[in-house]
Amino acid sequence: MAAHTSDDWWRSAAIYQVYVRSFADGDGDGTGDLAGVRAKLPYLAELGVDALWFTPWYLSPLADGGYDVADYRAIDPAFGTMAEAEKLIVEARGLGIRTIVDIVPNHLSDQHPWFRAALAAGPGSPERELFHFRPGRGEHGELPPNAWPSQFAGETWTRVEDGEWYLHLFTPQQPDLNWAHPAVRREHEDVLRFWFERGVAGVRIDSAALLAKDPELPEFVEGTDRHPYIDRDELHDVYRSWRAVADEYGAVFVGEVWLPDSERFARYLRPDELHTAFNFTFLTCPWDAARLRASIDDTLAEHAPVGAPATWVLCNHDVTRTVTRYGRTDTGFDFAAKRFGTPTDLDLGTRRARAAALLSLALPGSVYLYQGEELGLPEADIPLDRIQDPMHFRSGGVDPGRDGCRVPLPWTAEPWATPWLPQPGDWARYAADRQGGDPSSMLALYRRALLLRRSQPGFGDGGLTWLEAPEGVLAFAREDGLCCVVNLAAEPVPLPAHRALLLASGPLADGLLPQDTAVWLRA
Ligand code: GLC
């Protein structure tokens, strides 16, 4: 059960991701801010979430939506002040909601004082040792030191005026830090303490498996077992010392760890490392009963040996929104397959997203919701001249980028400011004020589901038993007779014997569970 007071709240929590820039706009300038979040705390409490994860809210030139941090100890003035952040943390806690901040250890902003000092100090300086500066190859150093693939398409090295090159796995505005340097480690442990001292209960670790680099910077060779920068063994030492810091404060970590290998993934979740990591296998899984069941089984099996709870995630600020993804022919997620103009059936996607909500909220462990998921927002088409995401530009324009899931939320059917990314013309229908009073809305479903999840036995951390079910149907039992049944097959199916029907994601048909519908039962 999602308890508020116990130390292991994170094992069962429902955590709501706030992309501050697009959540709620307190001052009417079109950009979300902390005043907006504070004003919406009652909404979040009514929704019934246990914690908020804030994407980076620090001082940033916003070359990558805030994942280019210029100062970890300052709030970006577009969002507010440190005093407001401190108030927000306390106010949220007063409503039973904990705060998780986002730390981006792989890189800094090129505007961070460390990088500016490194540029000014020149080749061979101690300031440059904090990053990966190297001379180029070729007769005049005109070629980059290696040909590592970027996480964002395009080049991973940029040449500076004095001829040296620096490494950036993402954009040139995000120089990678040198994690073999003790000052880099010290600084991040200090930053952790800075936020824990302010009452933060957890930290999300951005690109958590990318920090350590092979010091020789060798070429990446497909098929070799050790990658020059993904999932290197020396990283675990970093996380063990982070864990010791977190333990002093009773704080927790969630790692952004995209790794296909279950055993390698689970290493990050050993008892003296990270508490949890995002479940990207589930997030990218197509809407298919056999594939989902396999993904759930694999997830539980990979977590079991290290005793860590699983997390369940349907979308976030980087991927296609759930109702859109499930309304397409390819219902999985793959960055490489994101293209303009993919045909989408939003009614179908919405039905499936409602069922997926009940599925993910009933699975053992904690669950993440991304702002707007509770409103059933689709991915928005952003006019080409308004796109800001560097992923779009670095793909040569073929990838629409991630702005489509980052459009400011429609709180009211009548917008009161011009949002920094345009809302599609028909978004009044998704407005929170319209959905609030409509019992059939996505918002009503999430409120009801989260209320049951926190007030009734059987949810959150624990085990799962599969029940016998027809092909295309997922049925499982949790403790205390709680059952979840999801029908992904074409034919309606009878419900298993039950004492009470707690919640359904859509109408039943003559007592049968129709396609793309889920129910929670008490047996
Ligand atoms: C993570 C973030 C993403 C960001 C990238 C670089 O994947 O979720 O938004 O662009 O790291 O920091």
Side-chain angles (χ1 to χ4, degrees), residues 17 19 53 55-56 64-68 102 104 106-107 151-152 170-171 174 204-208 210 256 258 280 316-318 335 389-391 402 406:
Q17 179 188 355
Y19 193 81
W53 149 32
T55 52
D64 180 22
Y67 285 91
D68 47 319
D102 204 325
V104 192
N106 182 68
H107 43 265
Q151 297 295 299
F152 265 4
F170 295 89
T171 70
Q174 295 165 294
R204 180 247 186 201
I205 308 171
D206 185 75
S207 303
L210 303 183
E256 189 203 16
W258 293 80
F280 291 114
N316 65 30
H317 66 294
D318 291 329
F335 284 109
D389 182 20
M391 246 184 153
R402 300 163 297 176
R406 298 176 176 180

mmCIF file of all heavy atoms in Angstrom, residues 17 19 53 55-56 64-68 102 104 106-107 151-152 170-171 174 204-208 210 256 258 280 316-318 335 389-391 402 406, ligand 1:
data_model
loop_
_atom_site.group_PDB
_atom_site.id
_atom_site.type_symbol
_atom_site.label_atom_id
_atom_site.label_comp_id
_atom_site.label_asym_id
_atom_site.label_seq_id
_atom_site.Cartn_x
_atom_site.Cartn_y
_atom_site.Cartn_z
ATOM 1 N N GLN A 17 5.575 13.268 -12.652
ATOM 2 C CA GLN A 17 6.677 14.029 -13.238
ATOM 3 C C GLN A 17 6.208 15.414 -13.662
ATOM 4 O O GLN A 17 5.297 15.561 -14.467
ATOM 5 C CB GLN A 17 7.239 13.287 -14.464
ATOM 6 C CG GLN A 17 8.369 14.064 -15.126
ATOM 7 C CD GLN A 17 8.837 13.470 -16.439
ATOM 8 O OE1 GLN A 17 8.378 12.391 -16.839
ATOM 9 N NE2 GLN A 17 9.722 14.167 -17.118
ATOM 10 N N TYR A 19 7.255 18.685 -15.603
ATOM 11 C CA TYR A 19 8.147 19.388 -16.527
ATOM 12 C C TYR A 19 7.819 20.871 -16.333
ATOM 13 O O TYR A 19 6.885 21.407 -16.922
ATOM 14 C CB TYR A 19 7.855 18.919 -17.957
ATOM 15 C CG TYR A 19 8.902 19.328 -18.960
ATOM 16 C CD1 TYR A 19 10.090 18.608 -19.086
ATOM 17 C CD2 TYR A 19 8.718 20.437 -19.790
ATOM 18 C CE1 TYR A 19 11.055 18.970 -20.000
ATOM 19 C CE2 TYR A 19 9.685 20.805 -20.706
ATOM 20 C CZ TYR A 19 10.841 20.066 -20.810
ATOM 21 O OH TYR A 19 11.810 20.440 -21.722
ATOM 22 N N TRP A 53 8.388 14.490 -9.230
ATOM 23 C CA TRP A 53 9.749 14.544 -9.780
ATOM 24 C C TRP A 53 9.801 15.770 -10.687
ATOM 25 O O TRP A 53 9.069 15.840 -11.661
ATOM 26 C CB TRP A 53 10.071 13.252 -10.534
ATOM 27 C CG TRP A 53 11.026 13.417 -11.688
ATOM 28 C CD1 TRP A 53 12.067 14.309 -11.806
ATOM 29 C CD2 TRP A 53 11.018 12.684 -12.918
ATOM 30 N NE1 TRP A 53 12.704 14.160 -13.023
ATOM 31 C CE2 TRP A 53 12.081 13.176 -13.708
ATOM 32 C CE3 TRP A 53 10.220 11.639 -13.426
ATOM 33 C CZ2 TRP A 53 12.360 12.677 -14.998
ATOM 34 C CZ3 TRP A 53 10.502 11.149 -14.686
ATOM 35 C CH2 TRP A 53 11.563 11.661 -15.449
ATOM 36 N N THR A 55 11.709 17.841 -13.415
ATOM 37 C CA THR A 55 12.806 17.898 -14.385
ATOM 38 C C THR A 55 13.615 19.160 -14.040
ATOM 39 O O THR A 55 13.126 20.035 -13.317
ATOM 40 C CB THR A 55 12.256 17.940 -15.816
ATOM 41 O OG1 THR A 55 11.304 18.975 -15.907
ATOM 42 C CG2 THR A 55 11.603 16.612 -16.184
ATOM 43 N N PRO A 56 14.864 19.282 -14.533
ATOM 44 C CA PRO A 56 15.759 20.321 -14.013
ATOM 45 C C PRO A 56 15.124 21.718 -13.982
ATOM 46 O O PRO A 56 14.590 22.178 -14.981
ATOM 47 C CB PRO A 56 16.934 20.255 -14.981
ATOM 48 C CG PRO A 56 16.962 18.831 -15.414
ATOM 49 C CD PRO A 56 15.521 18.421 -15.516
ATOM 50 N N ASP A 64 18.893 22.369 -24.021
ATOM 51 C CA ASP A 64 18.246 21.057 -24.055
ATOM 52 C C ASP A 64 17.202 20.997 -22.940
ATOM 53 O O ASP A 64 17.254 20.145 -22.055
ATOM 54 C CB ASP A 64 19.298 19.937 -23.910
ATOM 55 C CG ASP A 64 18.649 18.545 -23.937
ATOM 56 O OD1 ASP A 64 17.527 18.418 -24.456
ATOM 57 O OD2 ASP A 64 19.279 17.584 -23.441
ATOM 58 N N GLY A 65 16.282 21.946 -22.982
ATOM 59 C CA GLY A 65 15.161 21.947 -22.042
ATOM 60 C C GLY A 65 15.552 21.907 -20.575
ATOM 61 O O GLY A 65 14.820 21.350 -19.765
ATOM 62 N N GLY A 66 16.726 22.439 -20.223
ATOM 63 C CA GLY A 66 17.131 22.475 -18.819
ATOM 64 C C GLY A 66 18.124 21.381 -18.456
ATOM 65 O O GLY A 66 18.708 21.409 -17.366
ATOM 66 N N TYR A 67 18.324 20.408 -19.362
ATOM 67 C CA TYR A 67 19.326 19.358 -19.111
ATOM 68 C C TYR A 67 20.724 19.866 -19.477
ATOM 69 O O TYR A 67 21.625 19.096 -19.778
ATOM 70 C CB TYR A 67 18.958 18.067 -19.856
ATOM 71 C CG TYR A 67 17.823 17.349 -19.160
ATOM 72 C CD1 TYR A 67 16.502 17.602 -19.513
ATOM 73 C CD2 TYR A 67 18.069 16.475 -18.110
ATOM 74 C CE1 TYR A 67 15.453 16.977 -18.840
ATOM 75 C CE2 TYR A 67 17.031 15.847 -17.433
ATOM 76 C CZ TYR A 67 15.728 16.106 -17.799
ATOM 77 O OH TYR A 67 14.697 15.494 -17.128
ATOM 78 N N ASP A 68 20.859 21.165 -19.465
ATOM 79 C CA ASP A 68 22.141 21.839 -19.644
ATOM 80 C C ASP A 68 22.211 22.831 -18.471
ATOM 81 O O ASP A 68 21.727 23.947 -18.562
ATOM 82 C CB ASP A 68 22.210 22.538 -21.008
ATOM 83 C CG ASP A 68 20.969 23.365 -21.349
ATOM 84 O OD1 ASP A 68 19.820 22.928 -21.073
ATOM 85 O OD2 ASP A 68 21.141 24.485 -21.864
ATOM 86 N N ASP A 102 16.081 16.468 -10.175
ATOM 87 C CA ASP A 102 16.749 15.799 -11.290
ATOM 88 C C ASP A 102 18.202 16.275 -11.337
ATOM 89 O O ASP A 102 18.449 17.474 -11.419
ATOM 90 C CB ASP A 102 16.003 16.228 -12.568
ATOM 91 C CG ASP A 102 16.119 15.262 -13.722
ATOM 92 O OD1 ASP A 102 17.187 14.641 -13.863
ATOM 93 O OD2 ASP A 102 15.153 15.155 -14.495
ATOM 94 N N VAL A 104 21.910 15.921 -13.329
ATOM 95 C CA VAL A 104 22.383 15.575 -14.675
ATOM 96 C C VAL A 104 23.906 15.436 -14.635
ATOM 97 O O VAL A 104 24.631 16.339 -15.073
ATOM 98 C CB VAL A 104 21.962 16.682 -15.679
ATOM 99 C CG1 VAL A 104 22.173 16.242 -17.122
ATOM 100 C CG2 VAL A 104 20.506 17.090 -15.458
ATOM 101 N N ASN A 106 26.186 13.630 -16.150
ATOM 102 C CA ASN A 106 27.047 13.347 -17.298
ATOM 103 C C ASN A 106 27.663 14.610 -17.893
ATOM 104 O O ASN A 106 28.765 14.581 -18.425
ATOM 105 C CB ASN A 106 26.260 12.598 -18.377
ATOM 106 C CG ASN A 106 27.143 12.248 -19.561
ATOM 107 O OD1 ASN A 106 28.049 11.418 -19.452
ATOM 108 N ND2 ASN A 106 26.936 12.922 -20.683
ATOM 109 N N HIS A 107 26.933 15.719 -17.815
ATOM 110 C CA HIS A 107 27.404 16.937 -18.487
ATOM 111 C C HIS A 107 26.902 18.174 -17.763
ATOM 112 O O HIS A 107 26.007 18.098 -16.919
ATOM 113 C CB HIS A 107 26.927 16.956 -19.941
ATOM 114 C CG HIS A 107 25.494 16.527 -20.101
ATOM 115 N ND1 HIS A 107 25.130 15.232 -20.404
ATOM 116 C CD2 HIS A 107 24.322 17.192 -19.968
ATOM 117 C CE1 HIS A 107 23.815 15.128 -20.467
ATOM 118 N NE2 HIS A 107 23.294 16.313 -20.191
ATOM 119 N N GLN A 151 24.297 10.400 -28.591
ATOM 120 C CA GLN A 151 22.986 9.983 -28.104
ATOM 121 C C GLN A 151 21.886 10.750 -28.840
ATOM 122 O O GLN A 151 20.722 10.423 -28.704
ATOM 123 C CB GLN A 151 22.892 10.267 -26.600
ATOM 124 C CG GLN A 151 23.891 9.480 -25.781
ATOM 125 C CD GLN A 151 23.644 7.970 -25.836
ATOM 126 O OE1 GLN A 151 22.600 7.490 -25.439
ATOM 127 N NE2 GLN A 151 24.595 7.232 -26.375
ATOM 128 N N PHE A 152 22.266 11.746 -29.562
ATOM 129 C CA PHE A 152 21.310 12.664 -30.203
ATOM 130 C C PHE A 152 21.569 12.795 -31.694
ATOM 131 O O PHE A 152 21.325 13.849 -32.248
ATOM 132 C CB PHE A 152 21.547 14.064 -29.632
ATOM 133 C CG PHE A 152 20.665 14.443 -28.477
ATOM 134 C CD1 PHE A 152 19.769 13.569 -27.908
ATOM 135 C CD2 PHE A 152 20.736 15.739 -27.966
ATOM 136 C CE1 PHE A 152 18.980 13.963 -26.845
ATOM 137 C CE2 PHE A 152 19.951 16.139 -26.909
ATOM 138 C CZ PHE A 152 19.076 15.251 -26.345
ATOM 139 N N PHE A 170 25.829 14.607 -25.985
ATOM 140 C CA PHE A 170 24.572 15.215 -26.434
ATOM 141 C C PHE A 170 24.922 16.449 -27.288
ATOM 142 O O PHE A 170 25.741 16.327 -28.178
ATOM 143 C CB PHE A 170 23.658 15.506 -25.233
ATOM 144 C CG PHE A 170 23.217 14.242 -24.538
ATOM 145 C CD1 PHE A 170 23.981 13.687 -23.506
ATOM 146 C CD2 PHE A 170 22.071 13.568 -24.929
ATOM 147 C CE1 PHE A 170 23.602 12.502 -22.891
ATOM 148 C CE2 PHE A 170 21.684 12.381 -24.318
ATOM 149 C CZ PHE A 170 22.448 11.849 -23.298
ATOM 150 N N THR A 171 24.396 17.622 -26.986
ATOM 151 C CA THR A 171 24.665 18.772 -27.861
ATOM 152 C C THR A 171 26.003 19.422 -27.489
ATOM 153 O O THR A 171 26.526 19.203 -26.385
ATOM 154 C CB THR A 171 23.560 19.842 -27.721
ATOM 155 O OG1 THR A 171 23.693 20.450 -26.418
ATOM 156 C CG2 THR A 171 22.174 19.269 -27.866
ATOM 157 N N GLN A 174 26.443 20.923 -24.128
ATOM 158 C CA GLN A 174 26.431 20.023 -22.962
ATOM 159 C C GLN A 174 27.752 19.241 -22.863
ATOM 160 O O GLN A 174 27.772 18.025 -23.072
ATOM 161 C CB GLN A 174 25.248 19.040 -23.072
ATOM 162 C CG GLN A 174 23.885 19.730 -22.996
ATOM 163 C CD GLN A 174 22.752 18.829 -23.462
ATOM 164 O OE1 GLN A 174 22.670 18.469 -24.628
ATOM 165 N NE2 GLN A 174 21.873 18.453 -22.553
ATOM 166 N N ARG A 204 16.437 11.978 -9.156
ATOM 167 C CA ARG A 204 16.438 11.239 -10.421
ATOM 168 C C ARG A 204 17.786 11.511 -11.088
ATOM 169 O O ARG A 204 18.240 12.648 -11.150
ATOM 170 C CB ARG A 204 15.288 11.736 -11.293
ATOM 171 C CG ARG A 204 15.174 11.031 -12.665
ATOM 172 C CD ARG A 204 15.487 11.970 -13.799
ATOM 173 N NE ARG A 204 15.259 11.374 -15.110
ATOM 174 C CZ ARG A 204 15.820 11.830 -16.215
ATOM 175 N NH1 ARG A 204 16.624 12.863 -16.190
ATOM 176 N NH2 ARG A 204 15.576 11.242 -17.372
ATOM 177 N N ILE A 205 18.439 10.447 -11.523
ATOM 178 C CA ILE A 205 19.776 10.591 -12.090
ATOM 179 C C ILE A 205 19.690 10.472 -13.610
ATOM 180 O O ILE A 205 19.361 9.414 -14.149
ATOM 181 C CB ILE A 205 20.735 9.526 -11.535
ATOM 182 C CG1 ILE A 205 20.690 9.522 -10.003
ATOM 183 C CG2 ILE A 205 22.143 9.782 -12.048
ATOM 184 C CD1 ILE A 205 21.439 8.348 -9.394
ATOM 185 N N ASP A 206 19.981 11.584 -14.261
ATOM 186 C CA ASP A 206 19.891 11.641 -15.717
ATOM 187 C C ASP A 206 21.018 10.834 -16.361
ATOM 188 O O ASP A 206 22.161 10.875 -15.914
ATOM 189 C CB ASP A 206 20.010 13.111 -16.143
ATOM 190 C CG ASP A 206 19.798 13.304 -17.625
ATOM 191 O OD1 ASP A 206 18.641 13.227 -18.063
ATOM 192 O OD2 ASP A 206 20.796 13.521 -18.343
ATOM 193 N N SER A 207 20.692 10.138 -17.444
ATOM 194 C CA SER A 207 21.694 9.407 -18.244
ATOM 195 C C SER A 207 22.668 8.659 -17.339
ATOM 196 O O SER A 207 23.887 8.706 -17.522
ATOM 197 C CB SER A 207 22.476 10.386 -19.129
ATOM 198 O OG SER A 207 21.594 11.110 -19.943
ATOM 199 N N ALA A 208 22.124 7.936 -16.373
ATOM 200 C CA ALA A 208 22.918 7.405 -15.272
ATOM 201 C C ALA A 208 23.992 6.399 -15.688
ATOM 202 O O ALA A 208 24.941 6.187 -14.950
ATOM 203 C CB ALA A 208 21.993 6.778 -14.230
ATOM 204 N N LEU A 210 25.952 6.606 -18.374
ATOM 205 C CA LEU A 210 26.871 7.146 -19.392
ATOM 206 C C LEU A 210 28.095 7.865 -18.827
ATOM 207 O O LEU A 210 28.987 8.268 -19.578
ATOM 208 C CB LEU A 210 26.121 8.141 -20.302
ATOM 209 C CG LEU A 210 24.884 7.638 -21.039
ATOM 210 C CD1 LEU A 210 24.332 8.735 -21.950
ATOM 211 C CD2 LEU A 210 25.201 6.410 -21.861
ATOM 212 N N GLU A 256 18.033 6.899 -14.482
ATOM 213 C CA GLU A 256 17.642 6.747 -15.890
ATOM 214 C C GLU A 256 18.662 5.817 -16.526
ATOM 215 O O GLU A 256 19.729 6.240 -16.945
ATOM 216 C CB GLU A 256 17.625 8.105 -16.615
ATOM 217 C CG GLU A 256 17.026 7.980 -17.999
ATOM 218 C CD GLU A 256 17.453 9.069 -18.984
ATOM 219 O OE1 GLU A 256 18.437 9.780 -18.730
ATOM 220 O OE2 GLU A 256 16.807 9.190 -20.035
ATOM 221 N N TRP A 258 19.026 3.118 -19.394
ATOM 222 C CA TRP A 258 18.501 2.410 -20.577
ATOM 223 C C TRP A 258 19.513 1.319 -20.899
ATOM 224 O O TRP A 258 20.544 1.593 -21.509
ATOM 225 C CB TRP A 258 18.418 3.315 -21.791
ATOM 226 C CG TRP A 258 17.460 4.462 -21.811
ATOM 227 C CD1 TRP A 258 17.639 5.673 -21.227
ATOM 228 C CD2 TRP A 258 16.197 4.540 -22.511
ATOM 229 N NE1 TRP A 258 16.562 6.496 -21.511
ATOM 230 C CE2 TRP A 258 15.667 5.822 -22.301
ATOM 231 C CE3 TRP A 258 15.455 3.632 -23.293
ATOM 232 C CZ2 TRP A 258 14.445 6.242 -22.836
ATOM 233 C CZ3 TRP A 258 14.241 4.063 -23.832
ATOM 234 C CH2 TRP A 258 13.740 5.351 -23.600
ATOM 235 N N PHE A 280 12.366 0.963 -18.792
ATOM 236 C CA PHE A 280 12.176 1.347 -20.194
ATOM 237 C C PHE A 280 11.720 0.180 -21.065
ATOM 238 O O PHE A 280 11.192 0.383 -22.147
ATOM 239 C CB PHE A 280 13.451 1.987 -20.739
ATOM 240 C CG PHE A 280 13.708 3.332 -20.121
ATOM 241 C CD1 PHE A 280 14.792 3.556 -19.313
ATOM 242 C CD2 PHE A 280 12.826 4.382 -20.340
ATOM 243 C CE1 PHE A 280 15.011 4.794 -18.721
ATOM 244 C CE2 PHE A 280 13.030 5.622 -19.761
ATOM 245 C CZ PHE A 280 14.128 5.830 -18.948
ATOM 246 N N ASN A 316 7.160 9.748 -20.716
ATOM 247 C CA ASN A 316 7.854 10.835 -20.027
ATOM 248 C C ASN A 316 8.116 11.969 -21.018
ATOM 249 O O ASN A 316 7.548 11.953 -22.122
ATOM 250 C CB ASN A 316 9.140 10.321 -19.346
ATOM 251 C CG ASN A 316 10.171 9.819 -20.351
ATOM 252 O OD1 ASN A 316 10.236 10.299 -21.495
ATOM 253 N ND2 ASN A 316 10.979 8.863 -19.955
ATOM 254 N N HIS A 317 8.959 12.908 -20.645
ATOM 255 C CA HIS A 317 9.190 14.102 -21.468
ATOM 256 C C HIS A 317 10.056 13.830 -22.698
ATOM 257 O O HIS A 317 10.376 14.761 -23.427
ATOM 258 C CB HIS A 317 9.852 15.170 -20.597
ATOM 259 C CG HIS A 317 11.233 14.758 -20.170
ATOM 260 N ND1 HIS A 317 11.453 13.686 -19.321
ATOM 261 C CD2 HIS A 317 12.457 15.225 -20.507
ATOM 262 C CE1 HIS A 317 12.756 13.516 -19.148
ATOM 263 N NE2 HIS A 317 13.380 14.444 -19.856
ATOM 264 N N ASP A 318 10.486 12.593 -22.881
ATOM 265 C CA ASP A 318 11.345 12.264 -24.022
ATOM 266 C C ASP A 318 10.632 11.446 -25.099
ATOM 267 O O ASP A 318 11.165 11.287 -26.190
ATOM 268 C CB ASP A 318 12.563 11.442 -23.549
ATOM 269 C CG ASP A 318 13.544 12.254 -22.714
ATOM 270 O OD1 ASP A 318 13.662 13.481 -22.950
ATOM 271 O OD2 ASP A 318 14.187 11.678 -21.821
ATOM 272 N N PHE A 335 13.089 5.682 -30.613
ATOM 273 C CA PHE A 335 13.458 7.027 -31.079
ATOM 274 C C PHE A 335 13.641 7.052 -32.594
ATOM 275 O O PHE A 335 13.228 7.983 -33.268
ATOM 276 C CB PHE A 335 14.764 7.482 -30.407
ATOM 277 C CG PHE A 335 14.578 7.904 -28.979
ATOM 278 C CD1 PHE A 335 15.054 7.135 -27.941
ATOM 279 C CD2 PHE A 335 13.912 9.089 -28.684
ATOM 280 C CE1 PHE A 335 14.881 7.517 -26.619
ATOM 281 C CE2 PHE A 335 13.730 9.489 -27.364
ATOM 282 C CZ PHE A 335 14.214 8.698 -26.330
ATOM 283 N N ASP A 389 13.324 21.624 -29.799
ATOM 284 C CA ASP A 389 14.125 20.495 -29.315
ATOM 285 C C ASP A 389 15.338 20.205 -30.212
ATOM 286 O O ASP A 389 15.176 19.977 -31.419
ATOM 287 C CB ASP A 389 13.233 19.248 -29.232
ATOM 288 C CG ASP A 389 13.997 18.053 -28.678
ATOM 289 O OD1 ASP A 389 15.042 18.271 -28.034
ATOM 290 O OD2 ASP A 389 13.556 16.914 -28.905
ATOM 291 N N PRO A 390 16.543 20.169 -29.592
ATOM 292 C CA PRO A 390 17.745 19.907 -30.404
ATOM 293 C C PRO A 390 17.712 18.547 -31.105
ATOM 294 O O PRO A 390 18.361 18.369 -32.135
ATOM 295 C CB PRO A 390 18.893 19.953 -29.384
ATOM 296 C CG PRO A 390 18.267 19.820 -28.036
ATOM 297 C CD PRO A 390 16.875 20.377 -28.178
ATOM 298 N N MET A 391 16.948 17.602 -30.576
ATOM 299 C CA MET A 391 16.873 16.292 -31.235
ATOM 300 C C MET A 391 16.341 16.426 -32.663
ATOM 301 O O MET A 391 16.749 15.698 -33.558
ATOM 302 C CB MET A 391 15.966 15.371 -30.439
ATOM 303 C CG MET A 391 16.718 14.215 -29.843
ATOM 304 S SD MET A 391 15.616 13.084 -29.009
ATOM 305 C CE MET A 391 16.558 11.600 -29.170
ATOM 306 N N ARG A 402 11.031 16.138 -29.369
ATOM 307 C CA ARG A 402 10.257 15.804 -28.185
ATOM 308 C C ARG A 402 9.316 16.913 -27.734
ATOM 309 O O ARG A 402 8.666 16.796 -26.695
ATOM 310 C CB ARG A 402 11.233 15.428 -27.062
ATOM 311 C CG ARG A 402 12.118 14.229 -27.428
ATOM 312 C CD ARG A 402 13.325 14.100 -26.531
ATOM 313 N NE ARG A 402 14.189 15.265 -26.661
ATOM 314 C CZ ARG A 402 15.283 15.477 -25.941
ATOM 315 N NH1 ARG A 402 15.655 14.599 -25.038
ATOM 316 N NH2 ARG A 402 16.017 16.564 -26.128
ATOM 317 N N ARG A 406 5.697 18.064 -24.783
ATOM 318 C CA ARG A 406 6.111 19.077 -23.803
ATOM 319 C C ARG A 406 5.284 20.352 -23.885
ATOM 320 O O ARG A 406 5.692 21.407 -23.388
ATOM 321 C CB ARG A 406 7.584 19.420 -24.027
ATOM 322 C CG ARG A 406 8.504 18.231 -23.827
ATOM 323 C CD ARG A 406 9.936 18.556 -24.147
ATOM 324 N NE ARG A 406 10.813 17.430 -23.847
ATOM 325 C CZ ARG A 406 12.135 17.436 -24.033
ATOM 326 N NH1 ARG A 406 12.729 18.520 -24.511
ATOM 327 N NH2 ARG A 406 12.859 16.373 -23.732
HETATM 328 C C1 GLC B 1 17.986 12.379 -20.561
HETATM 329 C C2 GLC B 1 16.822 13.330 -20.447
HETATM 330 C C3 GLC B 1 16.666 14.049 -21.743
HETATM 331 C C4 GLC B 1 17.941 14.829 -22.006
HETATM 332 C C5 GLC B 1 19.165 13.925 -21.973
HETATM 333 C C6 GLC B 1 20.436 14.715 -21.885
HETATM 334 O O1 GLC B 1 17.760 11.370 -21.475
HETATM 335 O O2 GLC B 1 15.666 12.641 -20.076
HETATM 336 O O3 GLC B 1 15.562 14.908 -21.751
HETATM 337 O O4 GLC B 1 17.864 15.451 -23.257
HETATM 338 O O5 GLC B 1 19.163 13.080 -20.861
HETATM 339 O O6 GLC B 1 20.577 15.286 -20.616
#
